[in-house]
Amino acid sequence: MTGDQVRQSFLDFFRERGHTIVPSAPLVPGNDPSLLFTNAGMVQFKQVFLGAETRPYARAADSQKCLRISGKHNDLEQVGRDTSHHTFFEMLGNWSFGDYGKRDAIAWAWELLTGVWKLPKDSLYATVYTTDDEAEGYWREVTDIRPDGISRFEEENFWEMGDTGPCGPCSEIHIDRGPEACDKQGTAHRCEVNGDCGRFVEIWNLVFIQYNRDARGALTDLPAKHVDTGMGFERITAVLQGVPSNYQIDIFRRIIASAERLSGKRFGADPRDDVSLQVIADHARAVTFMVAEGIVPSNEGRGYVLRRLLRRAARHGKLLGLGKPFLFEVVREVVATMGNAYPEIVATESTIRDVVRTEEERFAVTLDRGLSLLAAEVERARAAGSTTLPGEVAFRLSDTYGFPLDLTEDILAGEGMVVDRAGFDAAMEEQRERARAAQRFADAAAAPEVIGSSVATRFVGDRIAEWESEVVALAAGKESRAVAREGDEVDVITAETPFYAESGGQVGDRGWLVSDAGARVEVLDTFKIAPAVVAHHGVVRQGAISVGDRVRLRIDAARREAVRLNHSATHLLHAALRNRLGGHVKQSGSLVDAAHLRFDFSHHKPVGADELHAIEDDVNAWVRANAEVTSEEMSYDDAIRAGALAFFGDKYGDRVRVIRMGDFSTELCGGTHVARTGDIGLLQLRGESGVAAGVRRLEATTGEGAIAAVRREQGILGGLVELLKAGEGDARSKLEKLLGDLRDKEKRIAELQGKLAGGATRDVLADARHVDGITVLATRVDGLDDRGLREMADRLRDRIGSGVVVLGTALGERAVLLAAVTKDLTGRYHAGNIIKQLAPLVGGGGGGRPDFAQAGGKHPDRLDAALAAAYELLGAGSGQAS
Ligand SMILES: [Zn+2]
Ligand SMILES: [Zn+2]
């Protein structure tokens, strides 16, 4: 039975028993922010068990894709080194939501294993919870399991979701793979169920969710009882295919075979190569499924897990002697092998290969240098009699060479060495401390102590253009001031302000502060000098301003309006990018001013012209929809739950502002926004470029700026069309024709110039010799091209009346020889034959008609010799000169 057939027969079996077959949930859990990856079949049903959701079916079965990488320092090193640990794996499961119970769950499990899959009944064992007489009773009643095949366990047979919540006893099915499968022989070990050796392996866990545990730890009966089962797909397939290792099932063998082909290594030949092949096969699967869901390599969260897997695989490729990126090729086999069951990896194959290849290429730059640094440090530690690598070395490898800690540990494991983890953590903490200190220094630039720590500014809102408030502090540079006079550059701090302080890539407002006493301060920029203190930075243009003055604060409303439009458009652009390019797109920066907007985002390749048009069309359609833009304050957690996009690297307080634009965009944002999307008017993309590996940049204009840009371009176009005296439709073809004519004329001019030059330098006819009443001329005429040379030959032939002309010229690296015979002599001399004899002298060949022939050669330096030979050939050697 193939792996695909195992999966299908499981689903068919439960479909026939009234189960709805549901698709696998994504690896990235949609409803559980506490979980990095879906790690079990029940994840998508958690809310059903908790009673918070219902489903239209009471019985379900599926094959769930799972990813397990535990903890910060995890057991990733183990993957590939044994027969059963995987990062990515599939979990087969069947569920009852308040429908059937223990009896059916046990009976069907037994029927599938022994009736359909024909596993020998004698080799199967069941375990039940210590007090679960009911489950044991059903095992004896509805199956013919061997009488001594049931045993009871305490903690192994009780399942809990967490400290509180749904829980219950479970019943596991184990299979005896025979005494030879035991890997602990000869020790004090006893071979038995839950004996922790390779002989008895658990293949299926049936969980009976029947209790709720409250905060005091007490169990109460649930109103509805559920069944939740899980069977590791790779393991059951290994059992059914009769192979001792998960890596020997057909699916893995095909993927490993692809790595064998690329590396020239053979699986089973060398245990060390086997580990590398297994690591590559495992990680290729995980990477394929992760990238298919839009995860891209990064330095945090899921992206970092992906990066670690890619880099570990790259290093094992190196161990196999693979010098070039290879994993993206293995991905092809993963897709071929698993695409039937999971079509999403077929649909995204080219993206997956691009992302994997890019990351492989990026790591290749530092892998070798990191490896040689590590080798040197291992030597040094050895020489000092230590088996521990200093923590700061591991940190340097991670910080400078991109070696994740577990990769370093993985490499050291092969050397019998470990990393000083405490030292690593200390080095990392030290770097964080340095970063924090630098940040504090930056924050203190216009030190709050200058203006007094009690000062704070309240922003009155982004729909207000003018406001009145009191000057609470003045500062010039690092000094506090009581008064600032005409011509002074000054920071004015007021109790309240309508001025937006530069933040999140949106520029600060400009405008005027006008005091009751008639002082006028032109505000050139607005920024925060402390989290709650806004400085209006500008110049006193008239009068004097003092602390305590009442001022009217007027923003430059037109400029603010332009900025508002551009900023609001970034929300729509972000949504359109995710819509067209995929959920991996995340804003990585933006800069918005009155004239234009710039939007940087994560994406691994240039955005094509068609995609750009589609993105522009999306945004403009949303603009025309003129949807309402709303702003709402809520807690960060509520905002994320409501689906708001938040950006890594941005700092958010407890309370955040959620900006919604129709139903197409929801983002956390503190910027200034339009009231309706229609206010944006028009968005025009002006350019797309790359700013860093994996980061693209779009530039655009909106509103009046976009209209002005269109008008400018129309003006240029209109002017050109008028100049060309063409209609819009044929302007292009007319211009092309003009340019073509121009090229032809330039060429002709060059030829004529060559001719003039040749004629002016010397009179070539002076070289003519006369033999037997005919004229023979063999000479060099440099500076002409082929066509010029032919014309000159024609002209010379006319001039000599009766004779032979041989011309030679050097055209760059090429020699050209040409012979012409006047019509009356073609009976005696054959131009083709003359050339045939001369051409070899310049390293070429050629021939032609009796009256005209030409040849090229690759030795222009031998032209003079060839021309001298021409005189000899024609009986006009030096002795016979006229
Ligand atoms: Zn054993
Ligand atoms: Zn915004």
Side-chain angles (χ1 to χ4, degrees):
M1 200 160 24
T2 65
D4 275 345
Q5 288 166 341
V6 171
R7 194 189 295 108
Q8 196 55 50
S9 63
F10 176 89
L11 297 176
D12 289 346
F13 179 87
F14 284 101
R15 183 187 288 115
E16 285 156 15
R17 282 154 189 80
H19 290 64
T20 299
I21 307 305
V22 298
S24 171
L27 279 180
V28 176
N31 57 357
D32 193 344
S34 68
L35 199 59
L36 214 47
F37 297 106
T38 297
N39 56 9
M42 61 80 62
V43 168
Q44 66 168 316
F45 301 115
K46 194 169 158 183
Q47 297 301 320
V48 181
F49 292 132
L50 288 167
E53 280 177 19
T54 56
R55 293 288 152 96
Y57 41 78
R59 299 177 180 187
D62 76 354
S63 168
Q64 172 67 46
K65 38 188 186 176
C66 300
L67 196 71
R68 273 189 203 169
I69 291 180
S70 55
K72 185 169 65 155
H73 305 306
N74 59 62
D75 54 1
L76 185 57
E77 299 101 276
Q78 199 49 41
V79 173
R81 296 194 188 281
D82 63 17
T83 60
S84 61
H85 275 79
H86 303 295
T87 54
F88 176 91
F89 60 95
E90 295 174 67
M91 188 69 100
L92 302 171
N94 58 291
W95 286 273
S96 153
F97 306 115
D99 188 50
Y100 61 84
K102 289 178 191 176
R103 182 193 177 99
D104 289 329
I106 290 171
W108 286 335
W110 188 253
E111 186 184 349
L112 178 62
L113 293 175
T114 64
V116 179
W117 288 343
K118 307 279 188 241
L119 289 175
K121 291 172 182 170
D122 259 5
S123 66
L124 295 174
Y125 293 79
T127 63
V128 299
Y129 183 58
T130 335
T131 58
D132 198 350
D133 298 336
E134 193 189 6
E136 175 163 353
Y138 287 132
W139 274 111
R140 299 203 184 280
E141 182 189 333
V142 301
T143 78
D144 49 355
I145 194 168
R146 50 194 295 164
D148 64 348
I150 305 166
S151 44
R152 296 187 178 211
F153 289 88
E154 178 84 37
E155 59 202 68
E156 288 90 343
N157 283 87
F158 199 87
W159 179 90
E160 313 214 26
M161 193 183 283
D163 293 339
T164 61
C167 55
C170 61
S171 181
E172 293 179 343
I173 303 164
H174 297 245
I175 189 163
D176 179 358
R177 310 209 66 194
E180 63 282 359
C182 178
D183 47 5
K184 292 190 173 166
Q185 286 166 15
T187 61
H189 155 80
R190 222 183 110 187
C191 251
E192 59 190 358
V193 168
N194 282 335
D196 199 24
C197 74
R199 176 171 173 186
F200 289 91
V201 284
E202 181 216 321
I203 51 176
W204 204 344
N205 189 6
L206 317 176
V207 179
F208 311 119
I209 301 175
Q210 60 190 75
Y211 305 119
N212 184 49
R213 192 184 290 279
D214 65 24
R216 295 192 321 277
L219 294 177
T220 49
D221 277 355
L222 281 174
K225 296 182 173 41
H226 314 289
V227 172
D228 160 16
T229 89
M231 174 158 56
F233 166 74
E234 290 79 7
R235 180 175 290 177
I236 190 66
T237 303
V239 167
L240 292 170
Q241 294 183 353
V243 292
S245 158
N246 291 2
Y247 287 104
Q248 290 174 32
I249 66 174
D250 59 335
I251 290 172
F252 268 114
R253 283 296 287 133
R254 285 181 58 184
I255 298 166
I256 287 175
S258 134
E260 286 176 315
R261 280 193 299 277
L262 290 166
S263 65
K265 302 284 185 183
R266 205 165 50 76
F267 190 54
D270 177 338
R272 277 173 309 183
D273 289 347
D274 288 356
V275 169
S276 293
L277 287 166
Q278 291 180 168
V279 166
I280 289 167
D282 175 275
H283 292 7
R285 297 203 320 158
V287 158
T288 300
F289 280 86
M290 289 169 87
V291 180
E293 291 192 16
I295 302 171
V296 292
S298 77
N299 280 333
E300 57 204 339
R302 299 181 177 109
Y304 191 53
V305 173
L306 174 61
R307 171 159 286 167
R308 280 158 59 202
L309 292 174
L310 279 163
R311 296 192 165 185
R312 187 166 183 254
R315 187 252 164 175
H316 278 279
K318 195 106 215 162
L319 288 179
L320 293 178
L322 286 159
K324 283 187 309 192
F326 65 95
L327 198 64
F328 76 101
E329 297 287 8
V330 182
V331 163
R332 196 197 299 276
E333 192 60 43
V334 175
V335 172
T337 310
M338 304 188 67
N340 268 341
Y342 300 98
E344 65 269 29
I345 61 175
V346 179
T348 49
E349 179 176 353
S350 65
T351 304
I352 301 170
R353 286 164 51 84
D354 281 358
V355 168
V356 171
R357 185 183 197 149
T358 304
E359 176 71 6
E360 287 190 276
E361 284 167 352
R362 191 175 306 162
F363 187 47
V365 176
T366 56
L367 177 60
D368 286 333
R369 278 155 60 208
L371 284 174
S372 56
L373 169 74
L374 185 55
E377 292 290 343
V378 165
E379 268 322 297
R380 186 197 302 241
R382 280 241 175 83
S386 166
T387 57
T388 305
L389 183 80
E392 63 267 30
V393 175
F395 179 72
R396 186 144 47 98
L397 279 168
S398 136
D399 199 42
T400 310
Y401 299 96
F403 279 45
L405 179 60
D406 45 41
L407 176 58
T408 302
E409 291 181 323
D410 196 25
I411 297 169
L412 289 176
E415 308 279 345
M417 290 182 65
V418 293
V419 172
D420 168 18
R421 283 262 181 87
F424 178 88
D425 290 342
M428 182 130 90
E429 187 48 41
E430 210 172 284
Q431 196 206 37
R432 282 205 192 108
E433 192 48 49
R434 276 198 300 275
R436 269 197 294 270
Q439 184 59 38
R440 268 199 301 275
F441 182 74
D443 286 348
E449 54 265 28
V450 171
I451 44 134
S453 57
S454 62
V455 168
T457 313
R458 191 174 78 88
F459 178 57
V460 295
D462 71 348
R463 303 269 157 88
I464 293 171
E466 187 166 343
W467 196 252
E468 194 175 301
S469 186
E470 185 192 356
V471 176
V472 293
L474 291 171
K478 302 256 173 192
E479 279 172 50
S480 170
R481 292 279 195 88
V483 61
R485 300 179 198 285
E486 193 171 311
D488 287 353
E489 203 172 316
V490 68
D491 288 340
V492 182
I493 293 105
T494 53
E496 297 181 327
T497 186
F499 281 68
Y500 181 81
E502 182 204 339
S503 170
Q506 179 175 339
V507 294
D509 272 323
R510 292 184 189 171
W512 290 88
L513 308 185
V514 180
S515 80
D516 290 352
R520 294 169 60 84
V521 178
E522 183 177 5
V523 178
L524 301 170
D525 198 0
T526 308
F527 43 80
K528 288 182 177 168
I529 54 175
V533 183
V534 174
H536 307 83
H537 179 84
V539 177
V540 184
R541 297 291 183 201
Q542 187 185 314
I545 188 166
S546 308
V547 172
D549 283 358
R550 291 214 57 88
V551 288
R552 289 199 74 79
L553 302 104
R554 276 185 209 128
I555 65 172
D556 177 342
R559 180 172 177 276
R560 156 74 77 84
E561 195 54 25
V563 171
R564 182 203 303 282
L565 262 49
N566 278 334
H567 171 76
S568 301
T570 64
H571 288 244
L572 297 181
L573 196 53
H574 193 189
L577 283 165
R578 291 170 63 87
N579 193 25
R580 294 293 173 174
L581 304 181
H584 63 277
V585 169
K586 288 205 177 60
Q587 176 173 351
S588 62
S590 74
L591 183 78
V592 172
D593 61 22
H596 79 315
L597 68 93
R598 205 169 82 185
F599 191 84
D600 296 347
F601 57 100
S602 53
H603 189 56
H604 58 280
K605 60 178 181 188
V607 186
D610 289 350
E611 289 170 318
L612 288 174
H613 286 148
I615 289 159
E616 200 177 55
D617 287 348
D618 278 356
V619 173
N620 285 316
W622 291 334
V623 167
R624 286 191 302 276
N626 200 23
E628 194 181 357
V629 177
T630 62
S631 160
E632 193 186 343
E633 278 217 347
M634 57 179 80
S635 77
Y636 178 80
D637 291 341
D638 284 345
I640 297 304
R641 219 164 291 143
L645 292 176
F647 309 125
F648 287 126
D650 276 19
K651 283 171 268 169
Y652 296 104
D654 294 339
R655 303 289 294 173
V656 294
R657 221 164 60 149
V658 175
I659 305 297
R660 282 202 182 82
M661 300 190 176
D663 57 1
F664 25 83
S665 163
T666 304
E667 282 190 31
L668 298 191
C669 188
T672 61
H673 303 94
V674 294
R676 306 194 73 96
T677 55
D679 297 349
I680 293 168
L682 172 68
L683 174 117
Q684 256 220 316
L685 292 178
R686 314 287 310 168
E688 193 269 352
S689 57
V691 283
V695 180
R696 309 297 303 175
R697 169 171 295 171
L698 284 181
E699 295 184 76
T701 53
T702 66
E704 288 181 4
I707 292 167
V710 171
R711 196 169 289 155
R712 199 168 53 239
E713 280 161 8
Q714 274 178 344
I716 294 169
L717 243 172
L720 290 176
V721 165
E722 203 183 302
L723 267 177
L724 288 167
K725 299 191 171 37
E728 249 180 58
D730 60 356
R732 189 191 167 95
S733 57
K734 194 151 184 189
L735 185 57
E736 276 168 353
K737 188 178 175 306
L738 278 174
L739 288 172
D741 289 352
L742 193 60
R743 269 193 302 277
D744 285 349
K745 290 197 164 118
E746 277 169 352
K747 204 167 149 196
R748 188 77 187 122
I749 288 167
E751 285 162 15
L752 290 171
Q753 274 172 341
K755 252 188 254 179
L756 278 175
T761 42
R762 86 197 140 95
D763 182 3
V764 292
L765 277 170
D767 289 344
R769 298 178 188 181
H770 303 283
V771 186
D772 298 340
I774 66 161
T775 304
V776 175
L777 172 63
T779 189
R780 249 184 109 131
V781 279
D782 282 331
L784 295 186
D785 61 9
D786 296 30
R787 187 167 151 189
L789 201 63
R790 278 199 298 278
E791 279 172 13
M792 176 164 261
D794 276 342
R795 226 167 38 212
L796 287 168
R797 194 164 49 178
D798 291 346
R799 291 274 300 277
I800 59 175
S802 181
V804 180
V805 176
V806 178
L807 296 179
T809 189
L811 280 175
E813 299 287 286
R814 203 162 65 90
V816 179
L817 278 173
L818 181 153
V821 176
T822 53
K823 290 277 183 212
D824 59 315
L825 295 178
T826 48
R828 280 170 67 191
Y829 297 101
H830 190 287
N833 292 342
I834 294 169
I835 279 297
K836 232 177 246 166
Q837 295 186 58
L838 294 178
L841 299 176
V842 292
R849 306 193 311 255
D851 63 329
F852 195 91
Q854 187 178 333
K858 45 187 190 288
H859 295 298
D861 54 317
R862 298 186 196 156
L863 266 175
D864 291 337
L867 291 166
Y871 277 127
E872 297 290 342
L873 182 67
L874 296 166
S878 50
Q880 295 156 291
S882 60

